[in-house]
Amino acid sequence: MQTNKATIEHSNKNYYWKAYFSVIVLSILAYLIIVGGKSVWGDEAYTFAMLKHSFGDMCSITAADVHPPLYYILLKIFTYPFGYSLLSAKIFSIITYIAIIAFGGYHIRKIINERTAIMFMVLFLFYPFMLAYSLEVRMYSLAAMFVFMSAIYAYKVYSEDKKINIVLYALFTLCSAYTHYFALMAAGIVFLELLVFVIKNKREKLKQLIIATAVMAIGFIPWLGKLLGQLKEKSDNGFWIPPITRSTVIGYLKSVFGINVIPHYEWLCKTFFYVCCLMFLAAFIYAIIKLKNKNNALAILAILVPIFVMVIGIGVSVAYKPVFITRYIVPTIPLLLLFAAIVLGEINNKWISALVLAIVIIGGCFNYVHQYKIEYRDIKSMLTTERLQKHKADACVTDINGTFSAVIAYYDDKLPIYARQTQKEAANPYPHTYFIDKFDHKKYNRVLLLVPCKTQPSSMFTDYYKAEYVGTKYQQEEWADAYMLTKK
């Protein structure tokens, strides 16, 4: 009997490692296929502008903006050998995404079991909402990695007696705080959960938690003044985020639990959204009913993090000033999917598990195809380096709201750009972008002008230039009519 039991355990262990590495290899192959796109959007253009500055200047610029500096620092170090290329920057985001899968699969196996670990890996790989952010040259996948690691080590601090756990917990919590402020909020919620359970059940661990808290507080002091300054500046002058309405909140939920709208298949998108919402609601009710089970209690603690982050973000936005948008929930998504994986594991019904995984995989495949098309689209009206050079303009003016100026600055880092919208001087990483009221017609003979579609150039330009329509230009869901201005 003992021989048979050992054989079964060995077989299960082999199955787990085969499944573990299969998911990781599949992740790598999936993103090797999709990573080659060359288009960027406004915030990504901002990232690349930041990389061209020194570490000190990056910290000063982002301090005048709205984010902490760790992402820019790590990305600059990673991409420097590759000339700050778009490909290397996307690979950095993908590495952090795959690290969540590998880290989660390894540690969830030890904390719960192998079945739950593999389900988490599959759910995270295919979860539709996360696919776009795995490629985006922004800090969200890195923030998700740090928050997830902080949460895992918070549990290890509570359940184990290894000193390395409290060290790594403090490190990843501090990294979360230096990556994104909503990651800081998420890590703060994890900390409060840990503190409550330590005080309630394991007071002998309270001393080391207090010491770790002091270390984290000291570690954040260098940036605390910058954070307070950002809060005051946004409090006085507001933020670019539009007011939060009922439809905005519904939009958040559709983003998190839905798939991208597919032409002629809108019914499928709605169906997926409602089914996904019902699955999570049913899982939450099940976990509450079975709360005495240790793993279900852990699942509830996991899902409370994204719930509280969204509730606090929306609450502050409604009661004070808008500060929350959909992508700020990204740092908590691994914990949302940890919740789902734990509940599926506790239900322990292979048909229910297979159905849920099948639904998520189908949704993920739809979003993967959508993301592939976005990455490799080559719309003739898109502005690229080559297409900008063909116009042979001395300057560019974007007399339109949106992020055209940032994207043009990415594709041509020498062309003077005058924009209706641009960063205030201290937060502006572009050395060659200016507010439109600084435009001086005496300096330039040929100017590329972008205006809202079906809008004529204003007299500010036509008084001094001949305007020739050269087409409608496109970038990241924004359109503008382009005119070539030549001196009269």
Side-chain angles (χ1 to χ4, degrees):
M1 289 291 290
Q2 289 181 344
T3 303
N4 288 339
K5 184 178 180 180
T7 302
I8 291 171
E9 288 178 355
H10 179 73
S11 176
N12 288 340
K13 190 174 182 180
N14 284 341
Y15 166 78
Y16 164 77
W17 287 113
K18 286 178 182 178
Y20 178 86
F21 286 110
S22 294
V23 175
I24 292 175
V25 170
L26 179 61
S27 306
I28 294 170
L29 291 175
Y31 286 99
L32 283 176
I33 293 171
I34 204 173
V35 77
K38 295 182 179 180
S39 64
V40 301
W41 67 290
D43 281 9
E44 290 178 315
Y46 186 93
T47 297
F48 284 104
M50 289 287 284
L51 296 181
K52 295 177 181 178
H53 292 271
S54 67
F55 290 110
D57 286 345
M58 282 197 308
C59 291
S60 298
I61 293 169
T62 197
D65 190 34
V66 292
H67 295 302
L70 184 57
Y71 170 74
Y72 297 120
I73 292 170
L74 294 179
L75 185 64
K76 183 177 178 69
I77 293 170
F78 183 86
T79 57
Y80 174 76
F82 310 102
Y84 309 125
S85 69
L86 176 59
L87 179 61
S88 64
K90 287 188 175 183
I91 288 174
F92 179 80
S93 294
I94 291 169
I95 287 173
T96 61
Y97 184 85
I98 295 176
I100 294 171
I101 296 173
F103 179 88
Y106 181 81
H107 286 280
I108 294 169
R109 165 180 168 264
K110 293 185 173 183
I111 293 171
I112 303 173
N113 56 49
E114 295 171 348
R115 184 170 181 268
T116 302
I118 296 302
M119 281 194 290
F120 169 81
M121 295 175 75
V122 174
L123 285 170
F124 191 79
L125 172 60
F126 286 97
Y127 196 66
F129 178 62
M130 284 300 297
L131 284 171
Y133 296 101
S134 64
L135 286 169
E136 194 169 275
V137 187
R138 294 296 286 164
M139 65 283 296
Y140 303 106
S141 59
L142 181 69
M145 184 187 78
F146 284 140
V147 169
F148 184 55
M149 289 178 171
S150 171
I152 292 295
Y153 277 103
Y155 178 81
K156 285 178 170 284
V157 167
Y158 177 78
S159 61
E160 299 175 359
D161 293 320
K162 297 177 181 178
K163 290 183 178 179
I164 188 65
N165 290 333
I166 193 71
V167 173
L168 291 174
Y169 165 69
L171 173 64
F172 292 130
T173 301
L174 195 57
C175 286
S176 300
Y178 271 102
T179 302
H180 196 277
Y181 294 133
F182 275 88
L184 168 61
M185 183 188 295
I189 295 167
V190 171
F191 168 78
L192 290 175
E193 291 177 343
L194 175 60
L195 180 63
V196 167
F197 275 81
V198 165
I199 291 174
K200 182 180 178 182
N201 301 322
K202 295 193 176 184
R203 294 204 172 191
E204 68 275 9
K205 292 180 178 285
L206 187 58
K207 181 179 177 180
Q208 69 171 354
L209 184 56
I210 291 173
I211 293 171
T213 304
V215 170
M216 289 186 289
I218 292 169
F220 196 68
I221 284 175
W223 194 256
L224 182 60
K226 304 290 194 299
L227 169 58
L228 295 176
Q230 289 171 330
L231 290 174
K232 184 180 185 304
E233 197 277 333
K234 297 307 173 188
S235 175
D236 293 342
N237 301 314
F239 204 37
W240 58 267
I241 297 174
I244 306 295
T245 63
R246 180 173 173 273
S247 60
T248 308
V249 175
I250 293 172
Y252 294 157
L253 296 175
K254 286 183 176 179
S255 295
V256 174
F257 298 113
I259 56 178
N260 292 107
V261 176
I262 306 165
H264 312 300
Y265 289 93
E266 288 81 2
W267 63 271
L268 181 61
C269 302
K270 289 182 180 179
T271 301
F272 184 91
F273 169 67
Y274 290 127
V275 169
C276 202
C277 287
L278 286 173
M279 289 193 304
F280 273 99
L281 180 60
F284 186 80
I285 293 171
Y286 175 87
I288 290 292
I289 292 172
K290 303 284 186 178
L291 194 58
K292 290 184 179 180
N293 178 293
K294 183 193 78 169
N295 289 341
N296 283 329
L298 182 60
I300 291 297
L301 289 174
I303 198 173
L304 284 178
V305 179
I307 288 174
F308 276 123
V309 167
M310 185 172 280
V311 168
I312 293 170
I314 293 172
V316 172
S317 297
V318 172
Y320 186 54
K321 288 185 178 180
V323 295
F324 186 77
I325 51 176
T326 307
R327 56 182 177 268
Y328 291 172
I329 200 71
V330 170
T332 69
I333 295 301
L335 294 175
L336 176 71
L337 298 178
L338 175 60
F339 157 81
I342 292 173
V343 174
L344 278 178
E346 291 304 304
I347 292 173
N348 199 24
N349 183 303
K350 65 179 182 180
W351 295 110
I352 293 176
S353 298
L355 177 62
V356 171
L357 291 175
I359 290 170
V360 172
I361 289 170
I362 290 170
C365 289
F366 270 104
N367 266 27
Y368 183 85
V369 172
H370 176 80
Q371 196 62 34
Y372 180 91
K373 290 178 178 178
I374 289 176
E375 288 296 313
Y376 287 98
R377 63 189 170 189
D378 184 25
I379 301 173
K380 291 182 178 179
S381 56
M382 284 180 67
L383 289 167
T384 62
T385 303
E386 296 78 12
R387 289 164 186 163
L388 280 168
Q389 290 174 349
K390 284 182 180 179
H391 290 296
K392 297 180 180 179
D394 302 321
C396 177
V397 178
T398 58
D399 191 13
I400 184 173
N401 294 327
T403 58
F404 265 102
S405 59
V407 174
I408 293 170
Y410 166 77
Y411 286 118
D412 193 329
D413 59 4
K414 294 181 176 60
L415 185 70
I417 300 167
Y418 296 84
R420 187 187 294 179
Q421 287 181 314
T422 189
Q423 299 284 339
K424 63 179 184 179
E425 187 174 351
N428 189 357
Y430 311 100
H432 58 299
T433 62
Y434 316 92
F435 282 107
I436 196 169
D437 59 3
K438 301 293 184 182
F439 178 77
D440 184 357
H441 68 90
K442 297 176 183 177
K443 292 182 178 180
Y444 309 109
N445 293 319
R446 288 175 59 84
V447 178
L448 178 63
L449 172 67
L450 298 177
V451 297
C453 288
K454 299 180 180 179
T455 302
Q456 296 295 316
S458 70
S459 59
M460 172 183 177
F461 304 103
T462 55
D463 285 349
Y464 307 100
Y465 295 95
K466 294 178 182 178
E468 178 188 357
Y469 174 74
V470 291
T472 299
K473 304 301 179 182
Y474 168 86
Q475 77 87 20
Q476 196 67 26
E477 312 307 326
E478 295 179 18
W479 294 88
D481 284 347
Y483 289 85
M484 196 67 235
L485 307 179
T486 53
K487 264 289 179 62
K488 289 183 176 178

